């Protein structure tokens, strides 16, 4: 636990505390009276209510839509399955400003719905909810589907042979085994939608605002750091309460699971019902995920002769010190470094949390690992600039600052992905290896690693994808000569003109393709690993 605790203390707790102290401490006196002033404002209370309500609605709708997809991709074997797994993850790494713009083109004035049926859904809560489902579909599919693919189907088949109906067998056998993964996915979706920023800002209009949007407005537009600090602490307390309730109510039972090779559980669909389910999931993915992505591609190609793509190679002294195309290499290198950091920190934390002799303090750290997903990215970004500006932690001019910020978001995914599988490893296997003289390191290498290798690859893919699309904190710390793809897209979208908008769509398309290729390679590595080539 030493390295994970030190990492979060230095690069999360310290920067957040620094920005809060800057906002609430004036003339060496703490301004705690600001809490009553801010929370007593009617507008702020409306923001708090809408933030909570839309997060709950978004989470429920995402689970309803994505759980069938998790089942299909985990248990059905059909042509193009690996490609489809990569495709459903692409929306998750797109910058939220791009997602909002794509749905605005679909649902707003002159959008697809407006042209076909004269219906507009922009500046309505439905546009926000649909965009959140688009953004978080992959969280449920990969978190729940990763465990679902390794559950032994013979347990449910045994219940069927004993007289249980298909629904009863699923409810009594499979659902309890999936409960920890479903709860983890729901928690992550809730945290992402609770702190939603770009989507609400673009699609919500002046009528809807989340805490994250209000913190950004107070910080960047009104320059009221004290109000922003109060809202940050409120958001921090709300997320902490959510994690505490989750830890108290959810009973993890991974140790009772019987895991098998995922390649043995997938089979061709049988019967009209399973083929209809597969068709329904494919139609949902096509309409909800692929259609907005198709809008991005179509808009990037509206200029003749790939004009928007060719413009990316020209340096733009107004916003960029380098050609926008260089953001591709920068993003890939930063994401690779962030993934390596997240895997080391997350793997150590997950290994410590699985120990049966872990104390209450160590078990409490499980919930704290999720806090970076629920704390304002604006706060973290500003905190990096304020806190990490003096020796021995003067990192403002160091390239590692961006990967560190990205790794903060990647670590929770590594832990949440690896914990269910690590806890499912039979402790007697470790004890037998130790009795035979194996060292702790050899026990991990010979017993744990072969069983969690697939989960480790899933965690690496998630961490890499999240790092590619991280925007909230990176926008404050990325250097002008080394912008990441999301930062470059946001800067282009902020400038008027068709050329800038077209270049933003072109960069978004490139980001989408880079992520799809990376995830497809990951799927092939996992397939090769299961066949014994690695």
């Amino acid at each position: 636990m030493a390295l994970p605790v030190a990492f979060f203390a230095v690069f999360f707790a310290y920067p957040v505390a620094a920005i809060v102290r800057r906002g609430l401490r004036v003339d060496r006196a703490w301004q705690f009276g600001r809490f009553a002033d801010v929370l007593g404002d009617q507008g702020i209370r409306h923001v708090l209510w809408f933030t909570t309500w839309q997060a709950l609605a978004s989470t429920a709708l995402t689970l309803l839509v994505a759980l069938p997809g998790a089942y299909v991709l985990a248990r059905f074997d059909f042509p193009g399955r690996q490609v489809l797994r990569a495709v459903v993850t692409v929306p998750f790494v797109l910058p939220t400003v791009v997602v909002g713009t794509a749905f605005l083109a679909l649902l707003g004035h002159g959008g697809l719905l407006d042209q076909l049926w004269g219906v507009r859904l922009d500046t309505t809560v439905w546009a926000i909810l649909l965009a959140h489902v688009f953004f978080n579909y992959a969280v449920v599919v990969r978190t729940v589907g990763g465990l679902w693919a390794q559950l032994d189907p013979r347990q449910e088949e045994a219940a069927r042979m004993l007289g249980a109906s298909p629904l009863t067998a699923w409810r009594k056998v499979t659902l309890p085994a999936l409960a920890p993964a479903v709860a983890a996915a729901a928690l992550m979706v809730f945290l992402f939608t609770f702190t939603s920023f770009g989507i609400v800002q673009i699609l919500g209009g002046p009528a809807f605002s989340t805490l994250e949007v209000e913190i950004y407005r107070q910080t960047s537009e009104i320059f009221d750091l004290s109000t922003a600090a109060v809202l940050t602490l409120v958001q921090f307390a709300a997320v902490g309460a959510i994690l505490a309730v989750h830890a108290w109510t959810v009973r993890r039972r991974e140790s009772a699971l019987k895991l098998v090779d995922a390649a043995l559980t997938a089979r061709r669909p049988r019967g009209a019902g399973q083929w209809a389910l597969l068709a329904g999931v494919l139609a949902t993915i096509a309409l909800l995920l692929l259609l907005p992505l198709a809008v991005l591609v179509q808009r990037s190609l509206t200029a003749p002769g790939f004009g928007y793509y060719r413009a990316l190679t020209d340096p733009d002294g107004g916003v960029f010190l380098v050609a926008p195309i260089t953001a591709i290499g920068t993003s890939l290198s930063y994401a690779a470094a962030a993934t390596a950091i997240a895997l080391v920190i997350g793997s150590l934390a997950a290994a410590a949390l699985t120990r049966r002799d872990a104390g209450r303090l160590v078990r409490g750290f499980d919930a704290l690992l999720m806090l970076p997903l629920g704390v304002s990215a604006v706060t973290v970004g500003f905190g990096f600039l304020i806190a990490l500006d003096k020796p021995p932690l003067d990192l403002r001019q160091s390239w590692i600052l961006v990967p560190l910020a990205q790794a903060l978001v990647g670590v929770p995914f590594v832990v949440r992905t690896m914990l269910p599988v690590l806890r499912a490893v039979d402790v007697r296997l470790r004890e037998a290896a130790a009795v035979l003289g194996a060292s702790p390191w050899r026990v991990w290498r010979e017993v744990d690693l072969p069983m969690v290798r697939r989960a480790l690859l899933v965690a690496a893919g998630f961490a890499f994808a999240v790092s590619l699309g991280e925007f909230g904190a990176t926008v404050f710390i990325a250097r002008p000569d080394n912008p990441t793809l999301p930062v470059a897209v946001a800067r282009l979208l902020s400038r008027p003109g068709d050329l800038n908008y077209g270049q933003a769509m072109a960069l978004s398309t490139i980001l989408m393709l880079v992520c799809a290729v990376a995830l497809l390679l990951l799927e092939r590595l996992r397939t090769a690993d299961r066949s014994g080539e690695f």
Side-chain angles (χ1 to χ4, degrees):
M1 289 296 298
L3 189 58
V5 169
F7 178 81
F8 274 85
V10 174
F11 299 113
F12 176 68
Y14 178 47
V16 172
I19 191 74
V20 171
R21 182 179 183 275
R22 179 70 63 91
L24 292 181
R25 188 174 175 85
V26 180
D27 296 330
R28 298 184 179 180
W30 290 97
Q31 307 295 318
F32 291 113
R34 286 294 296 161
F35 280 89
D37 296 337
V38 172
L39 298 180
D41 184 86
Q42 182 65 28
I44 296 298
R45 289 203 298 268
H46 176 73
V47 169
L48 291 172
W49 162 248
F50 176 74
T51 301
T52 305
W53 179 87
Q54 65 82 28
L56 289 171
S58 297
T59 302
L61 187 59
T62 302
L63 289 175
L64 180 66
V65 174
L67 281 176
Y71 173 76
V72 166
L73 290 173
R75 289 298 175 87
F76 288 175
D77 185 18
F78 54 90
R81 179 186 175 209
Q82 293 181 17
V83 176
L84 194 63
R85 287 178 61 88
V87 167
V88 299
T89 310
V90 172
F92 186 73
V93 303
L94 291 178
T96 54
V97 291
V98 176
V99 175
T101 303
F103 272 83
L104 190 64
L106 289 174
L107 308 176
H109 178 69
L112 184 61
L113 288 183
D114 193 13
Q115 294 177 4
L116 294 178
W117 297 292
V119 177
R120 291 181 55 185
L121 295 178
D122 59 321
T123 67
T124 68
V125 70
W126 280 108
I128 296 173
L129 296 181
L130 289 175
H132 282 163
V133 175
F134 168 89
F135 198 73
N136 294 289
Y137 188 92
V139 176
V140 177
V141 168
R142 298 190 75 92
T143 303
V144 179
L147 180 60
W148 210 335
Q150 291 184 280
L151 292 181
D152 191 345
R154 292 174 295 183
Q155 293 179 335
E156 188 172 327
E157 293 170 358
R160 294 283 306 278
M161 292 182 65
L162 293 174
S165 65
L167 179 60
T168 301
W170 183 84
R171 183 169 54 88
K172 295 288 188 179
V173 178
T174 304
L175 183 58
L178 287 176
V182 173
L187 175 62
M188 285 188 283
V189 173
F190 184 87
L191 289 178
F192 289 138
T193 53
F194 189 83
T195 59
S196 183
F197 172 59
I199 291 175
V200 177
Q201 189 177 40
I202 294 176
L203 297 177
F208 303 107
S209 179
T210 58
L211 269 175
E212 187 83 358
V213 174
E214 190 64 24
I215 291 172
Y216 178 81
R217 190 174 74 89
Q218 295 289 340
T219 303
S220 302
E221 298 178 8
I222 304 179
F223 303 107
D224 188 350
L225 285 183
S226 63
T227 299
V230 170
L231 295 179
T232 296
L233 290 177
V234 169
Q235 186 172 350
F236 191 86
V239 171
I242 294 166
L243 295 176
V245 171
H246 176 267
W248 179 63
T249 57
V250 175
R251 296 293 181 262
R252 301 180 184 278
R253 288 184 285 180
E254 291 92 337
S255 58
L257 303 182
K258 182 179 180 181
L259 302 183
V260 297
D261 190 344
L264 302 177
T265 64
R267 54 179 173 76
R268 300 280 292 182
R270 294 196 298 256
Q274 293 188 356
W275 282 107
L277 177 61
L278 175 59
V281 169
L282 293 178
T284 300
I285 292 174
L287 292 176
L288 184 63
L289 304 185
L290 297 183
L291 188 58
L293 299 180
V295 170
L296 296 180
V297 177
Q298 184 272 332
R299 293 202 171 191
S300 71
L301 297 174
T302 53
F306 298 95
Y308 293 142
Y309 290 91
R310 287 189 286 106
L312 295 177
T313 61
D314 298 328
D316 186 347
V319 176
F320 303 105
L321 300 180
V322 294
I325 196 71
T326 60
I328 300 174
T330 301
S331 288
L332 290 176
S333 59
Y334 284 166
T339 300
I341 296 172
L343 285 178
V344 172
I345 301 297
S347 298
L348 289 174
L353 292 170
T354 56
R355 291 184 60 90
R356 298 185 182 275
D357 57 348
R360 185 173 300 176
L361 182 62
V362 174
R363 291 193 299 269
F365 190 64
D366 184 13
L368 296 179
L369 288 171
M370 298 294 292
L371 286 178
L373 300 181
V375 173
S376 169
V378 175
T379 301
V380 175
F382 269 123
F384 266 51
L385 294 179
I386 292 175
L388 306 180
D389 63 342
K390 297 177 181 178
L393 289 175
D394 187 1
L395 302 177
R396 289 175 300 172
Q397 302 301 319
S398 174
W399 66 273
I400 197 64
L401 196 62
V402 174
L404 287 172
Q406 294 173 343
L408 278 173
V409 184
V411 168
F413 284 97
V414 176
V415 175
R416 295 264 71 82
T417 303
M418 295 188 64
L419 263 181
V421 180
L422 275 173
R423 284 176 170 156
V425 177
D426 193 337
V427 66
R428 292 173 297 181
L429 297 176
R430 300 189 183 106
E431 294 171 349
V435 169
L436 294 174
S439 64
W441 165 245
R442 188 174 182 183
V443 170
W444 163 257
R445 179 166 53 88
E446 299 289 347
V447 177
D448 291 77
L449 184 58
M451 301 188 71
V452 304
R453 183 163 45 191
R454 183 175 183 272
L456 193 64
L457 288 173
V458 173
F462 247 136
F464 185 80
V466 170
S467 300
L468 274 179
E470 204 286 323
F471 171 71
T474 306
V475 69
F476 295 102
I477 57 180
R479 297 172 57 179
D481 57 341
N482 284 307
T484 62
L485 278 170
V487 171
V489 169
R491 290 179 181 174
L492 288 169
L493 285 174
S494 66
R495 303 181 67 192
D498 291 338
L499 179 61
N500 293 319
Y501 185 81
Q503 288 184 83
M505 294 300 102
L507 275 182
S508 299
T509 302
I510 292 173
L511 174 58
M512 177 184 67
L513 294 176
V514 169
C515 177
V517 170
L519 294 173
L520 184 59
L521 289 175
L522 176 63
E523 292 295 325
R524 291 189 177 277
L525 283 175
R526 289 166 55 189
T527 303
D529 176 66
R530 290 195 298 265
S531 64
E533 296 177 19
F534 289 86

